[in-house]
Amino acid sequence: MPHLWTPAARVISPRPPEPAPTESGARPAALLRGEFTARAAVRSARLLVTALGVYELELNGTVVGDHVLAPGWTSYRHRHRYQSFDVTALVHEGRNAWGAHLADGWYRGLLGFNGGTRDVYGEHTGLLAELRVEYTDGSADTVGTGDGWRWSPGPVLTAGLYEGEEYDARREQAGFSEPGFDDSAWQPVEILDFDTTVLFPADSPPVRRIQHLAPVSVTTSPTSRTILDFGQNLVGRLRIRVRGEAGRTVTLRHAEVLEDGELCTRPLRHATATDRYVLRGDPAGEEWEPRFTFHGFRYAEVEGWPGELDPADITAVVLHSDLRRTGWFSCSDDSLNRLHENVVWGMRGNFVDVPTDCPQRDERLGWTGDVQVFAPTAAFLYDVRDFLRSWLRDLAADQGDDERRIPPVFSPDIPVITPVPVPPGNPPMAGWCDAAVVVPWVLYERYGDTEVLRAQYPSMRAWVDAVDRIAGPARIWGEGFQFGDWLDPTAPADDPGRAMTASTLVATAYFAHSARLLARTAGVLENEDDSGHYHALADAVRDAFIARFHAGGGRLTEETQTAYALALCFRLLEDDADRAEAGRRLAGLVAERAHRIGTGFLGTPLVCDALADTGHVGTAYRLLTQRSAPSWLRQVDMGATTVWERWDSMLPDGSVNPGEMTSFNHYALGAVADWIHRTVAGLAPAEPGYRRLLVRPLPGGGLTWARAAHDTPYGRAEVGWHREGGTLHVDVLVPPGVTALVELPGTDPMEIEPGRHSFWAPFPQPHGDARGSGSGRPSHRITGSPDQCKEHT
Ligand code: BGC
């Protein structure tokens, strides 16, 4: 267990009086300050800090660290994260001062849909900070927030994650975090009671400013508004440089799309996403970026700009958790490359401290189903090990300790106002609550992390046991409301759960899948009793699934793409002949829809695997490269720069889907990227943590080359192939300590050692649905030693 903080400092709060709520309902950020004396020359100084709310802390006039929206969002009642900074360079002998901006953030700001809720975690914001100063003479002092600190309203008039930020630069208090500042007009802070046992050190990379983008165009809309286009749907906020008279207000509004040439803000629902800056009138110009908000947008409308707007004066600051990039893909088809890029941007925008469904409207919640399907893609593209482990700790905490122990549908969990009364406790939702089992398993599979399995095991088991209780001896469940195969293309705009595939089929398939993964987890943890028990349960659920949904001969009673994809990928159909027929039937269903997608959140990540694994590679490619709606590339053709929530978030005529739930940045349907990495490029883990690679590219779709690279826990792995006439040429880089199983179309599998290798094999027939079985070894040459690979790690 890492070192925990038991502060001597107290949580201080800027009250009373409580600042009056404003028109948007968002509340102001307060300024807080304190001073202390360092008795001697300073050898080192370490700051521990967190907030009930979000903070930006300054020491002697300098902002500490480059974190944004710290301390981030966790299930605060159970786990409250703090940050730790080495501030030796900022503290000096004699008088010192420190201060902070403090705003509502997730702690007390508006959260959730249907109007949302304020004060979810508490009614008062607070700051908790402690400094340990060691002197060169060997002595030390600890100072912290507590009595003696004072607070004042500051320049941030309002700050809400959804609402945006309003800032009046005339109300800045220059020097407030420097010693000697006159705070006689400030008020004393109040001490808040706070349970410090929930404090824990940062266990996930912080949110930072990752990139700056210049506008690609500035245009005037039909109603004469100034509209900036950043060319990319992104998550962050604008930084402006402006010169004008004191008191002038510049207003910045944000949206993902335009409709009839104007910002389309309806899909944002209650998120007003508006920032306002009131100039102080500095003749040298002034620069501003909001501190305590973020928006999902590609377009921004600027109002009140003094004089001519120079596009160079506005940049978009891209924010997200500062994850290490670990995965890359490219191929000969630019549309597929754009789709992949859209998946990457969708991930960036939705990995803002918690894995969210969407980053723009009044939601931005850690929806479990979305990350359940996207986790494999995420784990390829970025190092998400710490990020998702932290989130899983919250999920387990939110699972509660009542006897049902059902995971939340989003974590951190918040009360949600719904039009219908919801029974107490978390609703059991197949595919969503299964994140409790699937996400730890993905981390094990991709990082070889057995610790996450050990830590999450009670949470994983509690969910499977809960479903076991709910399903009862029949082993079938999912009657009544389920999210199901959410948002399949036939779901009506106003009823996203009304999918083609019955929710009992989906829920029972997931029950079998989670029971099997749990059994395998117990095996990894050498808990043989549990492993036997859950394998038996998984077998029983599979049998119940077959008895209920298998019409015989590989045909299912539910003839949908998702039904077959689930039965095949979760290996509920086991018999070879049944699987072959199910694969044929699935390919037939896809063809009946003219090779257009027919799956929602749960079927989409599986359908290409189900097709390819049953030999229908050509059909999988026809789905992937389909340009007619609904399809992935239709979105690309319509100019998407992130993956949409609905297959038709934008309707064919370019208007925005009338559904009240229409986001242009949801990663769930982008989960196909995992198949693209594993199958189009052919780079997959064959054993946990990529200790053994599976190199199995299945060329198709008219592609002439594809390649992928991934920084595995052992170092860089690469697979690249290209077509040379009738020959498939494959280059593989196997990192040190790793072996690879190479399976090329029409040839026998072979096992290779670390190093660079090249292979030649006959290029498979275009759109051939048969994968072909071994008919000889591919030509193979080792072109580099394992030592050379090290240079790539
Ligand atoms: C969210 C989803 C989520 C779903 C639950 C929506 O409002 O945006 O992505 O998984 O609700 O069904």
Side-chain angles (χ1 to χ4, degrees), residues 113 269 356-358 361 363-364 367-370 409 432 481 483 486-487 496 601 645 660-661 663 666 668:
F113 42 95
R269 301 190 306 212
T356 55
D357 55 333
C358 58
R361 66 177 178 228
E363 197 145 350
R364 315 185 195 184
W367 277 100
T368 48
D370 304 47
V409 290
W432 270 251
F481 181 75
F483 295 138
W486 189 250
L487 282 174
F601 274 28
E645 174 175 30
E660 62 89 49
M661 215 188 59
S663 136
H666 252 65

Side-chain angles (χ1 to χ4, degrees), residues 360-417:
Q360 73 298 81
R361 66 177 178 228
D362 53 353
E363 197 145 350
R364 315 185 195 184
L365 304 177
W367 277 100
T368 48
D370 304 47
V371 69
Q372 187 267 116
V373 297
F374 191 72
T377 301
F380 182 87
L381 295 173
Y382 285 90
D383 179 355
V384 292
R385 186 172 168 165
D386 292 340
F387 178 97
L388 287 179
R389 277 182 72 155
S390 178
W391 179 77
L392 284 167
R393 291 183 183 114
D394 285 321
L395 177 119
D398 286 337
Q399 211 165 343
D401 41 24
D402 66 341
E403 57 137 31
R404 296 167 77 237
R405 298 225 51 210
I406 291 179
V409 290
F410 38 73
S411 186
D413 202 4
I414 59 164
V416 167
I417 315 290

Side-chain angles (χ1 to χ4, degrees), residues 140-400:
D141 274 332
T142 298
V143 293
T145 46
D147 288 326
W149 278 64
R150 297 171 78 78
W151 80 273
S152 159
V156 180
L157 303 180
T158 66
L161 297 172
Y162 298 166
E163 301 92 322
E165 187 164 316
E166 297 176 279
Y167 188 95
D168 187 343
R170 297 168 304 178
R171 298 169 57 141
E172 283 169 354
Q173 306 222 25
F176 84 98
S177 68
E178 288 169 33
F181 175 86
D182 177 9
D183 63 10
S184 54
W186 290 35
Q187 305 173 57
V189 295
E190 193 156 298
I191 306 290
L192 290 186
D193 281 335
F194 177 72
D195 172 12
T196 58
T197 62
V198 298
L199 289 172
F200 72 95
D203 58 349
S204 173
V207 176
R208 290 201 170 95
R209 298 170 182 85
I210 304 291
Q211 192 180 348
H212 293 83
L213 289 183
V216 296
S217 72
V218 181
T219 50
T220 304
S221 77
T223 59
S224 307
R225 292 158 201 266
T226 304
I227 305 225
L228 306 186
D229 176 3
F230 289 88
Q232 172 62 52
N233 195 20
L234 61 95
V235 173
R237 54 208 186 190
L238 299 179
R239 175 177 291 178
I240 60 171
R241 203 167 50 218
V242 61
R243 194 183 355 208
E245 71 280 10
R248 171 184 275 272
T249 301
V250 172
T251 302
L252 310 167
R253 293 192 182 81
H254 307 77
E256 294 186 294
V257 286
L258 300 180
E259 203 171 28
D260 301 325
E262 308 286 347
L263 279 200
C264 179
T265 54
R266 184 182 52 76
L268 306 180
R269 301 190 306 212
H270 287 91
T272 37
T274 302
D275 297 333
R276 288 200 175 84
Y277 180 74
V278 182
L279 279 71
R280 62 174 175 270
D282 188 335
E286 35 204 294
E287 235 183 272
W288 179 70
E289 174 193 330
R291 284 181 175 77
F292 298 123
T293 194
F294 65 93
H295 313 292
F297 66 102
R298 168 175 170 167
Y299 301 95
E301 182 186 301
V302 183
E303 191 190 316
W305 193 269
E308 185 83 0
L309 173 69
D310 177 352
D313 286 335
I314 304 195
T315 47
V317 182
V318 178
L319 301 176
H320 54 84
S321 289
D322 194 1
L323 307 167
R324 183 171 58 97
R325 183 83 191 256
T326 55
W328 298 267
F329 167 84
S330 54
C331 70
S332 56
D333 181 335
D334 282 343
S335 303
L336 281 183
N337 291 336
R338 182 65 238 191
L339 170 66
H340 191 263
E341 201 51 20
N342 293 0
V343 172
V344 173
W345 273 99
M347 171 167 178
R348 297 175 69 186
N350 282 296
F351 275 58
V352 179
D353 213 54
V354 297
T356 55
D357 55 333
C358 58
Q360 73 298 81
R361 66 177 178 228
D362 53 353
E363 197 145 350
R364 315 185 195 184
L365 304 177
W367 277 100
T368 48
D370 304 47
V371 69
Q372 187 267 116
V373 297
F374 191 72
T377 301
F380 182 87
L381 295 173
Y382 285 90
D383 179 355
V384 292
R385 186 172 168 165
D386 292 340
F387 178 97
L388 287 179
R389 277 182 72 155
S390 178
W391 179 77
L392 284 167
R393 291 183 183 114
D394 285 321
L395 177 119
D398 286 337
Q399 211 165 343

Side-chain angles (χ1 to χ4, degrees), residues 527-615:
N527 180 341
E528 298 312 329
D529 288 352
D530 274 15
S531 182
H533 171 77
Y534 291 108
H535 273 303
L537 177 62
D539 290 348
V541 181
R542 176 204 55 208
D543 293 347
F545 180 95
I546 293 299
R548 173 75 165 265
F549 301 110
H550 186 208
R555 294 290 181 113
L556 297 179
T557 57
E558 297 266 331
E559 293 270 277
T560 68
Q561 295 182 23
T562 292
Y564 281 101
L566 289 164
L568 286 164
C569 290
F570 293 172
R571 298 201 72 83
L572 305 174
L573 284 170
E574 289 185 310
D575 174 80
D576 282 348
D578 286 346
R579 290 181 67 77
E581 175 56 20
R584 264 193 298 280
R585 192 61 201 124
L586 174 58
L589 287 170
V590 172
E592 277 167 33
R593 285 182 61 86
H595 296 94
R596 285 174 307 198
I597 198 84
T599 50
F601 274 28
L602 300 183
T604 299
L606 306 178
V607 66
C608 288
D609 269 308
L611 287 165
D613 289 352
T614 49

Side-chain angles (χ1 to χ4, degrees), residues 615-622 698-704 721 723 725-727 745 762-771:
H616 302 276
V617 182
T619 306
Y621 271 102
R622 290 187 71 173
L698 295 177
L703 300 185
T704 55
W721 61 262
R723 181 179 189 158
T727 304
F763 197 85
Q765 291 300 306
H767 286 310
D769 252 2
R771 217 198 312 148

